[in-house]
Amino acid sequence: MSEHKIAMVGTPCEIMAASKIQYYTDSPIDVKLGLFCMENFSYKYFENLLEEYDLKMDDIEKFQIDKGFVFLLLKNRETVKIPLSVAKRIIRKNCNICVELTSETSDISIGSIGSDDGWSTLIIRTKKGEEIVNGALEQKFIEAKELSEIQFNLLNKIAQTKINKNIEEIEKREFLARPVLYQRDKSDDSIANEISVSDFSDLKSNVIDIGACVLCGACEYVCSDNLITIDDTKPIMKGECPPDCHACFAVCPRTFTPEDLRNDNSKAIGEFIKVLSVKSLKHSQGQDGSIVTTLLDYLLSNDIVTDALVVDKKDYLAWKPYAKLTRDIDEVIKSGGTKYSVCPVFKPLKNMNEEVN
């Protein structure tokens, strides 16, 4: 059992990977804070798009997506609008087969959809999540109010729109004989049988080579022989899989999903205990109205977790995301804000294991 108890922040696919790591291994991840997410952009392709507007990543002070546009707030105080229809071409391919908006296997999901300006929508999904939110309310880290029926319906409508749209893409890929494994309706016994004969070569052919990899780094993390490395584009194996190891295939969020974690798409935002509109009483900047930052502050301040796994931006490469483990709330605050591109989020856990060993 790990001495670490980690609170993780992630997008729906990253949270699913964390849930599968918990399901199949002895995981140090104890609390999952999931973000609402429509899609993410390729960092490299984003750079190329900006060149068409005579811009560089370093010119940008802040990103915002709203009302059909990507708004780029520049350091010179100017604002550049890029139609979302144009920006769609730099969306990562795996996002087009994702049918989750609200990180359904998290303990708590957080996003801006549905709530008033300055407030965030928070979905409590587990008893652990409920205890955390109640504690944060009692200690006045956050305040909460009910989400109105209109607001709740809007959230459901947008979530259902994402499901419907991407189910069409899934069906198109399946027609072309490109399997979308995570959406297969299989029993746990059948999944176990599939995993028992699958290794990195199967992961490569069924996920990586067809543009379904989410770049989360779960495969790299669970590879006990350190044969898998992951860079900005895809996981790569150097060597051969041990004959009895199937871990990378098991934990990938785009391979078969266990029944307990699977969404049958009949509930747009998945299973939940309660949905609230919340506001931070501690912080004013960060992801989704600072609620992620505030909840991490509560968890670390009360020693409920030992570390937070967050995504920050590299100081020497503008807007380039990287994952890190920290227990310093100032570093958590610094990491706040949407990056709009992804990185191998589990890499710090791999480094932590190597330091222990």
Coordinates of all heavy atoms in Angstrom, one line a residue, residues 143-208:
E143 N -19.0 28.2 -1.0 CA -20.4 28.3 -0.7 C -21.2 27.7 -1.9 O -20.6 27.5 -3.0 CB -20.8 29.8 -0.6 CG -20.6 30.7 -1.8 CD -21.1 32.1 -1.6 OE1 -22.3 32.3 -1.2 OE2 -20.3 33.0 -1.8
A144 N -22.4 27.3 -1.6 CA -23.2 26.6 -2.6 C -24.6 27.0 -2.6 O -25.2 27.5 -1.6 CB -23.1 25.1 -2.3
K145 N -25.2 26.8 -3.8 CA -26.7 27.0 -4.0 C -27.2 25.9 -5.0 O -26.4 25.3 -5.6 CB -27.0 28.4 -4.4 CG -26.4 28.8 -5.8 CD -26.7 30.2 -6.1 CE -26.1 30.6 -7.5 NZ -26.3 32.0 -7.9
E146 N -28.5 25.8 -5.0 CA -29.1 24.8 -5.9 C -28.9 25.3 -7.3 O -29.0 26.5 -7.6 CB -30.5 24.6 -5.5 CG -30.8 23.9 -4.2 CD -30.2 22.5 -4.1 OE1 -30.4 21.8 -5.1 OE2 -29.7 22.1 -3.0
L147 N -28.7 24.3 -8.2 CA -28.7 24.6 -9.6 C -30.2 24.6 -10.1 O -31.0 23.7 -9.7 CB -28.0 23.5 -10.4 CG -27.4 23.8 -11.8 CD1 -26.3 24.8 -11.6 CD2 -26.8 22.6 -12.4
S148 N -30.6 25.6 -10.8 CA -32.0 25.7 -11.2 C -32.3 24.6 -12.2 O -31.4 24.1 -12.8 CB -32.3 27.1 -11.8 OG -31.7 27.2 -13.1
E149 N -33.6 24.4 -12.4 CA -34.0 23.4 -13.4 C -33.6 23.7 -14.8 O -33.1 22.9 -15.6 CB -35.5 23.2 -13.4 CG -36.0 22.1 -14.3 CD -37.5 21.9 -14.2 OE1 -38.2 22.5 -13.4 OE2 -38.1 21.1 -15.0
I150 N -33.6 25.0 -15.1 CA -33.2 25.5 -16.4 C -31.7 25.2 -16.6 O -31.2 24.8 -17.7 CB -33.5 27.0 -16.6 CG1 -35.1 27.2 -16.7 CG2 -32.9 27.5 -17.9 CD1 -35.5 28.6 -16.8
Q151 N -30.9 25.6 -15.6 CA -29.5 25.4 -15.6 C -29.1 23.9 -15.7 O -28.2 23.5 -16.5 CB -28.8 26.0 -14.4 CG -28.9 27.5 -14.4 CD -28.4 28.1 -13.1 OE1 -28.7 27.5 -12.0 NE2 -27.7 29.2 -13.1
F152 N -29.8 23.1 -15.0 CA -29.6 21.6 -15.0 C -29.9 21.0 -16.4 O -29.2 20.2 -16.9 CB -30.4 20.9 -13.9 CG -30.2 19.4 -13.9 CD1 -29.0 18.9 -13.2 CD2 -31.1 18.5 -14.4 CE1 -28.8 17.5 -13.2 CE2 -30.9 17.2 -14.4 CZ -29.7 16.7 -13.7
N153 N -31.0 21.5 -16.9 CA -31.4 21.0 -18.3 C -30.4 21.4 -19.3 O -30.1 20.7 -20.3 CB -32.8 21.5 -18.6 CG -33.9 20.9 -17.8 OD1 -33.7 19.8 -17.2 ND2 -35.0 21.5 -17.7
L154 N -29.8 22.6 -19.2 CA -28.8 23.1 -20.1 C -27.6 22.2 -20.1 O -27.0 21.8 -21.1 CB -28.4 24.5 -19.8 CG -27.2 25.1 -20.7 CD1 -27.6 25.1 -22.1 CD2 -26.8 26.5 -20.1
L155 N -27.2 21.9 -18.9 CA -26.0 21.0 -18.7 C -26.3 19.6 -19.4 O -25.4 19.1 -20.1 CB -25.7 20.8 -17.2 CG -24.6 19.7 -16.8 CD1 -23.3 20.1 -17.4 CD2 -24.5 19.6 -15.3
N156 N -27.4 19.1 -19.1 CA -27.8 17.8 -19.7 C -27.9 17.9 -21.2 O -27.4 17.0 -21.9 CB -29.2 17.3 -19.2 CG -29.0 16.4 -17.9 OD1 -28.8 15.2 -18.0 ND2 -29.1 17.1 -16.8
K157 N -28.4 19.0 -21.7 CA -28.6 19.1 -23.2 C -27.2 19.2 -23.9 O -27.0 18.5 -24.9 CB -29.3 20.4 -23.5 CG -29.5 20.7 -25.0 CD -30.2 22.0 -25.2 CE -30.4 22.3 -26.7 NZ -31.1 23.6 -26.9
I158 N -26.2 19.9 -23.3 CA -24.9 20.0 -23.9 C -24.2 18.7 -23.8 O -23.5 18.2 -24.7 CB -24.1 21.1 -23.2 CG1 -24.7 22.5 -23.5 CG2 -22.7 21.1 -23.7 CD1 -24.1 23.7 -22.8
A159 N -24.3 18.0 -22.6 CA -23.7 16.7 -22.5 C -24.3 15.7 -23.5 O -23.6 14.9 -24.1 CB -23.9 16.1 -21.1
Q160 N -25.6 15.7 -23.7 CA -26.3 14.8 -24.7 C -25.9 15.1 -26.1 O -25.7 14.2 -26.9 CB -27.8 14.9 -24.5 CG -28.5 13.8 -25.3 CD -28.2 12.4 -24.8 OE1 -28.4 12.1 -23.6 NE2 -27.8 11.6 -25.7
T161 N -25.7 16.4 -26.4 CA -25.2 16.8 -27.7 C -23.8 16.2 -28.0 O -23.6 15.7 -29.1 CB -25.1 18.3 -27.8 OG1 -26.5 18.9 -27.6 CG2 -24.6 18.8 -29.2
K162 N -23.0 16.2 -27.0 CA -21.6 15.6 -27.2 C -21.8 14.1 -27.5 O -21.1 13.6 -28.4 CB -20.7 15.9 -26.0 CG -19.3 15.3 -26.2 CD -18.4 15.6 -25.1 CE -17.0 15.0 -25.3 NZ -16.0 15.4 -24.3
I163 N -22.6 13.5 -26.7 CA -22.8 12.0 -26.9 C -23.3 11.7 -28.3 O -22.7 10.9 -29.0 CB -23.8 11.5 -25.8 CG1 -23.2 11.5 -24.4 CG2 -24.2 10.0 -26.2 CD1 -24.2 11.2 -23.3
N164 N -24.4 12.4 -28.7 CA -25.0 12.1 -30.0 C -24.0 12.4 -31.1 O -23.9 11.6 -32.1 CB -26.2 13.0 -30.2 CG -27.3 12.7 -29.2 OD1 -27.3 11.6 -28.6 ND2 -28.3 13.6 -29.1
K165 N -23.3 13.5 -31.1 CA -22.3 13.8 -32.1 C -21.2 12.8 -32.2 O -20.9 12.3 -33.3 CB -21.7 15.2 -31.8 CG -20.7 15.6 -32.8 CD -20.0 16.9 -32.4 CE -18.8 17.3 -33.2 NZ -18.1 18.5 -32.7
N166 N -20.6 12.4 -31.1 CA -19.5 11.5 -31.1 C -19.9 10.1 -31.3 O -19.0 9.3 -31.8 CB -18.6 11.8 -29.9 CG -17.9 13.1 -30.0 OD1 -18.0 13.8 -31.0 ND2 -17.2 13.5 -28.9
I167 N -21.1 9.7 -30.9 CA -21.6 8.4 -31.3 C -21.6 8.2 -32.8 O -21.3 7.1 -33.3 CB -23.0 8.1 -30.7 CG1 -22.9 7.8 -29.2 CG2 -23.7 6.9 -31.4 CD1 -22.2 6.5 -28.8
E168 N -22.0 9.2 -33.5 CA -22.0 9.2 -35.0 C -20.5 8.9 -35.5 O -20.3 8.1 -36.4 CB -22.5 10.5 -35.6 CG -24.0 10.7 -35.4 CD -24.4 12.0 -36.0 OE1 -23.6 12.6 -36.8 OE2 -25.6 12.4 -35.8
E169 N -19.6 9.6 -34.9 CA -18.2 9.3 -35.3 C -17.7 7.9 -35.0 O -17.0 7.3 -35.8 CB -17.3 10.4 -34.6 CG -15.8 10.2 -34.9 CD -15.4 10.4 -36.4 OE1 -16.2 11.1 -37.1 OE2 -14.4 9.9 -36.8
I170 N -18.1 7.4 -33.8 CA -17.8 6.1 -33.4 C -18.4 5.1 -34.4 O -17.7 4.2 -34.9 CB -18.3 5.8 -32.0 CG1 -17.5 6.5 -31.0 CG2 -18.3 4.3 -31.7 CD1 -18.0 6.5 -29.6
E171 N -19.7 5.3 -34.8 CA -20.3 4.4 -35.8 C -19.6 4.5 -37.1 O -19.5 3.4 -37.8 CB -21.8 4.8 -35.9 CG -22.6 4.4 -34.6 CD -24.0 4.9 -34.7 OE1 -24.3 5.7 -35.6 OE2 -24.8 4.5 -33.8
K172 N -19.1 5.6 -37.5 CA -18.4 5.8 -38.8 C -17.1 5.0 -38.7 O -16.8 4.3 -39.7 CB -18.2 7.3 -39.0 CG -17.5 7.6 -40.4 CD -17.1 9.0 -40.5 CE -18.3 10.0 -40.3 NZ -17.9 11.4 -40.5
R173 N -16.4 5.1 -37.6 CA -15.1 4.4 -37.5 C -15.4 2.9 -37.5 O -14.6 2.1 -38.1 CB -14.4 4.8 -36.2 CG -13.9 6.3 -36.3 CD -12.8 6.5 -35.2 NE -12.5 7.9 -35.1 CZ -11.4 8.4 -34.5 NH1 -10.7 7.6 -33.8 NH2 -11.2 9.7 -34.4
E174 N -16.4 2.5 -36.8 CA -16.7 1.1 -36.7 C -17.1 0.5 -38.1 O -16.7 -0.6 -38.4 CB -17.8 0.8 -35.7 CG -17.5 1.2 -34.3 CD -17.0 0.0 -33.5 OE1 -17.5 -1.1 -33.7 OE2 -16.1 0.2 -32.7
F175 N -17.7 1.3 -38.9 CA -18.1 0.9 -40.3 C -16.8 0.7 -41.1 O -16.8 -0.1 -42.0 CB -19.0 2.0 -40.9 CG -19.4 1.7 -42.3 CD1 -20.4 0.7 -42.6 CD2 -18.8 2.3 -43.4 CE1 -20.7 0.4 -43.9 CE2 -19.1 2.0 -44.7 CZ -20.1 1.1 -44.9
L176 N -15.8 1.5 -40.8 CA -14.5 1.4 -41.5 C -13.6 0.3 -40.9 O -12.4 0.2 -41.2 CB -13.8 2.7 -41.5 CG -14.5 3.8 -42.3 CD1 -13.8 5.2 -42.0 CD2 -14.6 3.5 -43.8
A177 N -14.2 -0.5 -40.0 CA -13.5 -1.6 -39.3 C -12.4 -1.1 -38.4 O -11.4 -1.7 -38.2 CB -12.9 -2.6 -40.3
R178 N -12.6 0.1 -37.8 CA -11.7 0.6 -36.8 C -12.4 0.4 -35.4 O -13.3 1.2 -35.1 CB -11.3 2.1 -37.0 CG -10.5 2.3 -38.2 CD -10.1 3.8 -38.3 NE -9.1 4.1 -39.3 CZ -8.5 5.2 -39.4 NH1 -8.8 6.2 -38.6 NH2 -7.6 5.4 -40.4
P179 N -12.0 -0.5 -34.6 CA -12.7 -0.8 -33.4 C -12.6 0.3 -32.4 O -11.5 0.9 -32.2 CB -12.1 -2.1 -32.9 CG -10.7 -2.1 -33.5 CD -10.9 -1.5 -34.8
V180 N -13.7 0.7 -31.7 CA -13.6 1.6 -30.6 C -13.9 0.8 -29.4 O -15.1 0.6 -29.0 CB -14.7 2.8 -30.8 CG1 -14.6 3.8 -29.7 CG2 -14.4 3.5 -32.2
L181 N -12.9 0.3 -28.8 CA -13.0 -0.8 -27.8 C -13.8 -0.3 -26.5 O -14.5 -1.1 -26.0 CB -11.7 -1.3 -27.4 CG -10.8 -2.0 -28.5 CD1 -9.6 -2.6 -27.9 CD2 -11.6 -2.9 -29.3
Y182 N -13.5 0.9 -26.1 CA -14.1 1.3 -24.8 C -15.6 1.4 -24.8 O -16.2 1.4 -23.7 CB -13.4 2.6 -24.3 CG -14.1 3.9 -24.7 CD1 -14.9 4.6 -23.8 CD2 -14.0 4.4 -26.0 CE1 -15.5 5.7 -24.2 CE2 -14.6 5.6 -26.4 CZ -15.4 6.2 -25.4 OH -16.0 7.4 -25.8
Q183 N -16.2 1.4 -26.0 CA -17.7 1.5 -26.0 C -18.3 0.1 -26.3 O -19.5 0.1 -26.4 CB -18.1 2.4 -27.2 CG -18.0 3.9 -26.8 CD -19.1 4.3 -25.8 OE1 -20.3 4.3 -26.2 NE2 -18.7 4.6 -24.6
R184 N -17.5 -0.9 -26.3 CA -18.0 -2.3 -26.5 C -18.8 -2.7 -25.2 O -18.3 -2.6 -24.1 CB -16.9 -3.2 -26.8 CG -16.2 -2.9 -28.1 CD -17.1 -3.1 -29.3 NE -16.5 -2.8 -30.5 CZ -15.8 -3.6 -31.3 NH1 -15.6 -4.8 -31.0 NH2 -15.3 -3.1 -32.5
D185 N -20.0 -3.3 -25.4 CA -20.8 -3.8 -24.3 C -20.4 -5.3 -24.0 O -20.9 -6.2 -24.6 CB -22.3 -3.8 -24.7 CG -23.2 -4.2 -23.6 OD1 -22.7 -4.3 -22.4 OD2 -24.4 -4.4 -23.8
K186 N -19.4 -5.4 -23.1 CA -18.8 -6.8 -22.8 C -18.9 -7.0 -21.3 O -18.8 -6.1 -20.5 CB -17.4 -6.9 -23.3 CG -17.2 -6.7 -24.8 CD -15.7 -6.7 -25.2 CE -15.0 -8.0 -25.0 NZ -15.4 -9.0 -26.0
S187 N -19.1 -8.3 -21.0 CA -19.1 -8.6 -19.5 C -17.7 -8.6 -19.0 O -16.7 -8.6 -19.7 CB -19.6 -10.1 -19.4 OG -18.7 -11.0 -19.9
D188 N -17.6 -8.5 -17.7 CA -16.2 -8.4 -17.0 C -15.4 -9.7 -17.3 O -14.2 -9.6 -17.5 CB -16.4 -8.2 -15.5 CG -16.8 -6.7 -15.2 OD1 -16.6 -5.9 -16.1 OD2 -17.2 -6.5 -14.0
D189 N -16.1 -10.8 -17.4 CA -15.4 -12.1 -17.7 C -14.8 -12.0 -19.1 O -13.7 -12.5 -19.3 CB -16.4 -13.3 -17.5 CG -16.7 -13.6 -16.1 OD1 -15.9 -13.2 -15.2 OD2 -17.7 -14.3 -15.8
S190 N -15.6 -11.5 -20.0 CA -15.2 -11.4 -21.4 C -14.0 -10.4 -21.5 O -13.0 -10.7 -22.2 CB -16.3 -11.0 -22.3 OG -15.9 -10.8 -23.6
I191 N -14.1 -9.3 -20.8 CA -13.0 -8.4 -20.8 C -11.7 -9.0 -20.2 O -10.6 -8.8 -20.7 CB -13.4 -7.1 -20.0 CG1 -14.5 -6.3 -20.7 CG2 -12.2 -6.2 -19.7 CD1 -15.1 -5.2 -19.9
A192 N -11.9 -9.7 -19.1 CA -10.7 -10.4 -18.5 C -10.0 -11.3 -19.5 O -8.8 -11.4 -19.5 CB -11.1 -11.1 -17.2
N193 N -10.8 -12.0 -20.2 CA -10.3 -13.0 -21.2 C -9.5 -12.2 -22.3 O -8.5 -12.6 -22.8 CB -11.4 -13.8 -21.9 CG -12.0 -14.8 -20.9 OD1 -11.3 -15.3 -20.0 ND2 -13.2 -15.2 -21.1
E194 N -10.1 -11.1 -22.8 CA -9.4 -10.3 -23.8 C -8.1 -9.7 -23.2 O -7.1 -9.7 -23.9 CB -10.3 -9.1 -24.2 CG -11.6 -9.5 -24.9 CD -11.4 -9.7 -26.4 OE1 -10.2 -9.6 -26.8 OE2 -12.4 -9.9 -27.1
I195 N -8.1 -9.2 -22.0 CA -6.9 -8.7 -21.4 C -5.8 -9.7 -21.3 O -4.6 -9.5 -21.5 CB -7.2 -8.0 -20.0 CG1 -8.0 -6.8 -20.2 CG2 -5.9 -7.7 -19.3 CD1 -8.5 -6.1 -18.9
S196 N -6.2 -10.9 -21.0 CA -5.3 -12.0 -20.7 C -4.4 -12.4 -21.9 O -3.4 -13.0 -21.8 CB -6.0 -13.3 -20.2 OG -6.8 -13.9 -21.2
V197 N -4.9 -12.0 -23.1 CA -4.2 -12.3 -24.4 C -3.7 -11.1 -25.1 O -3.3 -11.1 -26.3 CB -5.0 -13.2 -25.3 CG1 -5.3 -14.6 -24.7 CG2 -6.3 -12.5 -25.7
S198 N -3.8 -9.9 -24.4 CA -3.4 -8.7 -25.0 C -2.2 -8.0 -24.4 O -2.0 -8.1 -23.2 CB -4.6 -7.7 -25.0 OG -5.7 -8.2 -25.6
D199 N -1.4 -7.4 -25.2 CA -0.2 -6.6 -24.6 C -0.1 -5.3 -25.4 O -1.0 -4.9 -26.1 CB 1.0 -7.5 -24.7 CG 1.3 -8.0 -26.1 OD1 0.8 -7.4 -27.1 OD2 2.2 -8.9 -26.3
F200 N 1.1 -4.8 -25.4 CA 1.3 -3.5 -26.0 C 1.1 -3.5 -27.5 O 0.6 -2.5 -28.1 CB 2.8 -2.9 -25.8 CG 3.0 -1.5 -26.3 CD1 2.6 -0.4 -25.6 CD2 3.6 -1.3 -27.5 CE1 2.7 0.9 -26.1 CE2 3.8 -0.1 -28.0 CZ 3.4 1.0 -27.3
S201 N 1.4 -4.6 -28.2 CA 1.1 -4.7 -29.6 C -0.4 -4.5 -29.9 O -0.7 -3.9 -30.9 CB 1.6 -6.0 -30.2 OG 0.9 -7.1 -29.6
D202 N -1.2 -5.1 -29.0 CA -2.7 -4.9 -29.2 C -3.1 -3.5 -28.9 O -4.0 -3.0 -29.6 CB -3.4 -5.9 -28.3 CG -3.1 -7.4 -28.6 OD1 -3.6 -7.9 -29.6 OD2 -2.2 -7.9 -27.9
L203 N -2.5 -2.9 -27.9 CA -2.8 -1.5 -27.6 C -2.4 -0.6 -28.8 O -3.1 0.3 -29.1 CB -2.0 -1.1 -26.3 CG -2.3 0.3 -25.8 CD1 -3.7 0.4 -25.2 CD2 -1.3 0.7 -24.7
K204 N -1.3 -0.9 -29.4 CA -0.8 -0.1 -30.5 C -1.7 -0.2 -31.7 O -2.1 0.8 -32.3 CB 0.6 -0.6 -30.9 CG 1.3 0.2 -32.0 CD 2.7 -0.2 -32.3 CE 3.4 0.7 -33.3 NZ 2.8 0.6 -34.6
S205 N -2.2 -1.4 -32.0 CA -3.0 -1.6 -33.2 C -4.4 -1.1 -33.0 O -5.1 -0.6 -33.9 CB -3.0 -3.1 -33.7 OG -3.5 -3.9 -32.6
N206 N -5.0 -1.3 -31.8 CA -6.4 -1.0 -31.5 C -6.6 0.4 -31.0 O -7.8 0.9 -31.0 CB -6.9 -2.0 -30.5 CG -7.2 -3.3 -31.1 OD1 -8.2 -3.5 -31.9 ND2 -6.4 -4.3 -30.8
V207 N -5.6 1.1 -30.5 CA -5.7 2.4 -29.9 C -4.8 3.5 -30.5 O -5.2 4.5 -31.1 CB -5.5 2.4 -28.4 CG1 -5.6 3.8 -27.8 CG2 -6.6 1.5 -27.7
I208 N -3.5 3.2 -30.4 CA -2.5 4.2 -30.8 C -2.5 4.5 -32.3 O -2.6 5.6 -32.7 CB -1.1 3.8 -30.3 CG1 -1.1 3.6 -28.8 CG2 0.0 4.8 -30.7 CD1 0.1 2.9 -28.3

